[in-house]
Every structure is written in C-alpha cells, then in structure tokens.
Amino acid sequence: MATIKISSQHNWTTETAHQTTNGTWAKWLKLTDGQAERKTLWFMVSLIFQGVLFLPLPAVLIYYFNAPTLILAVTLSLFFANIITGMSGSGIRTILNLFAVSFLAHLIMLAIFAL
C-alpha cells in the first residue's frame, strides 16, 4: 500500500509570517488593539458622533449646496453599518476601522460639495 510522504522542503518560521513594521497601518492596529477593553465606549462614541455630526450633513449638503441625494444613501448606509457592527459583537478593529472609514467618507463628501 502506498503512503503519502510529506516532505518539509520549506522551513517556515513564525518570524517571517508575522513581520512587524513601523508603518502607519501597524501603528493604527496597535492603537485599536490597545482599546479592546473599551469596545462599548467606542461603539457609543461612534453612534453619538455620527448622530450629531453625520446624519444632519446630507440635509445641509442637499438643501444648501444642491448635492445629489446619493449622499443620503451613503450616510444612512454607513450609520446603519456602524450600528450593526457594534451590536453584533464585532471586534474593536472592525468598529474603529468602520468609524474611521465613515469619518473620512463624510469629510470627503463635505470637501467635494461644500468647497
């Protein structure tokens, strides 16, 4: 009976698989991992910040700056995505990354239509 022989020609080490860099992304991940015990706080900050600053933004942009109504769909999608992410038990990286994406998306929309 023939047997399968697995040869270890490649010497994989954990050091090459988990290289640490000092780039911006590595610093961001280190920051998010350090906030793991404050996940509920970040979820609430995200909801309050978006409810106060981001949800009124489409009304202002559409009414005063004649922006397309697509902005409303983007804002509500990001808002509900943040709610679902926080309530579903996602990790701190997911919560903070989605909050950062939301923040940047709204800043870009504001810069495009208001300036």
Side-chain angles (χ1 to χ4, degrees):
M1 188 177 281
T3 59
I4 298 174
K5 181 180 178 185
I6 300 174
S7 64
S8 60
Q9 294 175 355
H10 300 289
N11 186 11
W12 299 100
T13 62
T14 57
E15 296 162 5
T16 58
H18 300 288
Q19 292 178 350
T20 57
T21 59
N22 291 330
T24 307
W25 183 249
K27 290 178 184 178
W28 171 252
L29 291 179
K30 185 177 178 182
L31 174 85
T32 57
D33 290 339
Q35 298 295 318
E37 65 270 359
R38 297 179 189 93
K39 185 166 64 168
T40 306
L41 173 71
W42 279 108
F43 171 57
M44 292 306 297
V45 166
S46 172
L47 288 184
I48 291 169
F49 195 81
Q50 288 185 7
V52 171
L53 296 176
F54 293 163
L55 288 180
L57 187 65
V60 171
L61 291 177
I62 291 169
Y63 185 74
Y64 291 109
F65 298 104
N66 296 324
T69 55
L70 180 67
I71 289 179
L72 181 62
V74 170
T75 299
L76 288 177
S77 297
L78 288 171
F79 179 70
F80 288 124
N82 275 295
I83 290 175
I84 292 168
T85 300
M87 292 180 71
S88 67
S90 296
I92 188 68
R93 282 186 179 182
T94 307
I95 291 172
L96 286 178
N97 284 335
L98 189 57
F99 179 55
V101 165
S102 261
F103 184 77
L104 290 175
H106 284 88
L107 280 179
I108 290 169
M109 286 189 299
L110 186 64
I112 289 172
F113 294 108
L115 296 180

